[in-house]
Amino acid sequence: MLISLIGMSGSGKSYWSEKLAWHGFRRFCLDALITQKLSDKLRREDLSPLSLGEWMGFPFQDGYQEREGLYLSLEKQLMAEILDWIDENACAGSEANVVLDTTGSVIYTGENLLERLRSLTTIVYFAVPSVIREAMLRQYLSNPRPVLWRGIFNIEPGESVEEALFRSYNALLDLREVVYRELADVEIDYFTRNNPDFKICDFLEIAAKPEKRYRCVST
């Protein structure tokens, strides 16, 4: 089975892709690969390590747009390379099970790459209910992840930065949710995938429901 996981940063994609890897799936994690590409930049002045989220920073900080652009450029490059690999290897039968742990910003990689993602993988969307959003934002503020805001963030007159982040974060999720759902083959809701009784076999049963035929170029 060829699976791609999509959804917001913090929705559990890496957790489930790692579980799939433990069950024999070949795993590609885009954030980890981008981190490798940016390794020379992920150092503070004292040479201590900097996380990818810390490097990206918040949308109101100086240099954010340049870092956002570099991140997206690397994401597109790596996405193309991974999809080429899937086309040449998994579709040819040498790798039966592959999981692609995408970033939350996968929807910005362009229609050509997204169409290839649709053609080559079953896309599983990890939806996030509104009741969880504030907790996700709090987590983002305390432990920044590389979020691409794409111009959504702004500070209205009289707003604090935190108020602006909360309002803009909800607007960002509202917009992304529509695109994620349009892109996905199947959706697994938050409470289902976080239920302790929900096992990897249950995940795979849901992911297999679309009975998708992969359209490989190499074959």
Side-chain angles (χ1 to χ4, degrees):
M1 189 179 297
L2 310 178
I3 297 173
S4 290
L5 306 181
I6 66 170
M8 277 297 292
S9 178
S11 61
K13 300 187 301 293
S14 293
Y15 172 81
W16 280 99
S17 68
E18 288 171 356
K19 290 193 74 167
L20 288 166
W22 275 105
H23 284 77
F25 276 69
R26 173 71 175 261
R27 177 178 183 253
F28 293 96
C29 177
L30 268 169
D31 257 346
L33 294 170
I34 292 170
T35 297
Q36 291 176 15
K37 290 283 188 181
L38 290 170
S39 59
D40 61 330
K41 298 181 181 295
L42 301 180
R43 290 284 185 274
R44 297 184 177 88
E45 290 184 1
D46 63 0
L47 300 182
S48 61
L50 196 65
S51 74
L52 192 58
E54 289 173 315
W55 169 82
M56 177 71 77
F58 295 107
F60 52 83
Q61 292 178 323
D62 290 342
Y64 170 82
Q65 290 185 341
E66 289 77 9
R67 294 188 294 274
E68 180 186 48
L70 175 57
Y71 180 99
L72 183 56
S73 175
L74 290 172
E75 181 176 7
K76 290 177 180 179
Q77 173 194 329
L78 289 163
M79 270 276 290
E81 292 174 3
I82 292 168
L83 292 173
D84 285 345
W85 187 94
I86 291 174
D87 194 11
E88 294 169 8
N89 294 274
C91 287
S94 58
E95 288 280 349
N97 295 311
V98 176
V99 59
L100 172 51
D101 179 356
T102 72
T103 71
S105 52
V106 65
I107 56 175
Y108 306 127
T109 56
E111 187 55 38
N112 288 341
L113 284 174
L114 293 179
E115 182 54 38
R116 292 192 70 199
L117 193 68
R118 291 188 193 100
S119 298
L120 293 170
T121 69
T122 297
I123 301 176
V124 180
Y125 169 41
F126 284 179
V128 176
S130 56
V131 294
I132 302 300
R133 288 185 179 187
E134 183 172 356
M136 288 181 64
L137 177 59
R138 298 294 177 196
Q139 179 66 20
Y140 168 63
L141 293 175
S142 63
N143 183 25
R145 296 172 181 265
V147 174
L148 272 61
W149 289 81
R150 308 305 290 161
I152 295 296
F153 175 82
N154 71 304
I155 301 178
E156 299 285 356
E159 274 188 327
S160 67
V161 170
E162 185 170 321
E163 289 169 339
L165 277 169
F166 184 77
R167 176 182 50 76
S168 299
Y169 188 78
N170 277 290
L172 180 67
L173 264 64
D174 286 342
L175 288 171
R176 286 192 179 188
E177 188 175 78
V178 173
V179 184
Y180 288 144
R181 285 205 162 103
E182 289 176 349
L183 185 62
D185 294 301
V186 65
E187 179 177 326
I188 302 179
D189 73 75
Y190 177 88
F191 298 104
T192 296
R193 65 181 186 269
N194 284 282
N195 186 325
D197 294 328
F198 187 70
K199 307 300 184 185
I200 198 73
C201 58
D202 302 311
F203 178 100
L204 291 172
E205 182 179 353
I206 293 174
K209 283 182 179 178
E211 297 183 357
K212 190 165 182 178
R213 290 187 177 182
Y214 305 118
R215 301 193 301 276
C216 305
V217 174
S218 61
T219 56

